[in-house]
Amino acid sequence: MSYVTPVMTLSTAVLSLIFDPWHEFRHTKYFDSSWHIARSCLLMLFGGTLAFFMVLTEYILVSVTSAVTVTIAGVVKEAVTILVAVFYFHDDFTWMKGLGLMTIMFGVSLFNWYKYDKLQKGSTNEDEIGSPLGNTTAKYVILEEMEDQDHGP
């Protein structure tokens, strides 16, 4: 991540300069006064901070549990997004959305049943059951410390 992030930032900045309509910013209500500029920047900073902590939380969650658990959580998040869109934003609930929700509930139920079955059989392998019950040590490593160990004294 530390090697890819600067490249992604520069690529996004260059593509934004090429394709985004920068000349329209002077004519929008979000950048027409100093108060609107400050408010827009604070909202973007708030959104960026939330996104950063969501990615950090996902990284720590994958480090402690398994990727399958995070995938299942992402699927449940999509189901909640559909339900919020239907109940809060009054989107149409089509048969396709219903079929998708039923598939999600069935898949998550099967995964939880599988995890419960493995726990009942006494399995403590984290990758098998996606839970850190057997080994409470974290699986992630601080990269700077590893680089220091590689180079030696």
Side-chain angles (χ1 to χ4, degrees):
M1 290 293 289
S2 61
Y3 297 116
V4 176
T5 302
V7 174
M8 290 174 17
T9 303
L10 290 174
S11 301
T12 304
V14 168
L15 290 173
S16 175
L17 288 173
I18 293 170
F19 293 113
D20 286 339
W22 285 91
H23 61 279
E24 293 179 9
F25 278 133
R26 285 180 260 149
H27 306 295
T28 66
K29 66 179 182 176
Y30 301 108
F31 297 100
D32 62 354
S33 70
S34 60
W35 165 244
H36 287 155
I37 291 172
R39 192 172 89 186
S40 296
C41 289
L42 286 174
L43 284 173
M44 287 186 280
L45 182 65
F46 178 69
T49 303
L50 280 178
F52 171 77
F53 282 111
M54 285 172 46
V55 169
L56 180 65
T57 303
E58 183 179 347
Y59 174 74
I60 292 172
L61 185 64
V62 168
S63 299
V64 174
T65 61
S66 72
V68 176
T69 303
V70 176
T71 303
I72 295 297
V75 168
V76 172
K77 179 192 69 119
E78 294 299 326
V80 170
T81 302
I82 292 171
L83 290 175
V84 167
V86 169
F87 289 118
Y88 187 73
F89 296 113
H90 306 291
D91 282 0
D92 292 332
F93 189 75
T94 62
W95 66 271
M96 185 66 90
K97 289 180 184 176
L99 182 65
L101 282 174
M102 293 301 292
T103 304
I104 288 171
M105 291 188 323
F106 181 70
V108 169
S109 299
L110 282 177
F111 174 73
N112 286 328
W113 178 55
Y114 174 75
K115 263 178 66 168
Y116 180 76
D117 191 44
K118 288 291 184 184
L119 282 173
Q120 291 299 317
K121 290 180 180 175
S123 175
T124 58
N125 186 356
E126 290 179 16
D127 293 328
E128 271 187 40
I129 60 174
S131 174
L133 295 176
N135 184 5
T136 57
T137 59
K139 293 192 293 186
Y140 59 92
V141 177
I142 299 173
L143 294 177
E144 288 82 18
E145 290 178 5
M146 287 211 39
E147 290 174 358
D148 291 341
Q149 292 174 359
D150 290 341
H151 297 298

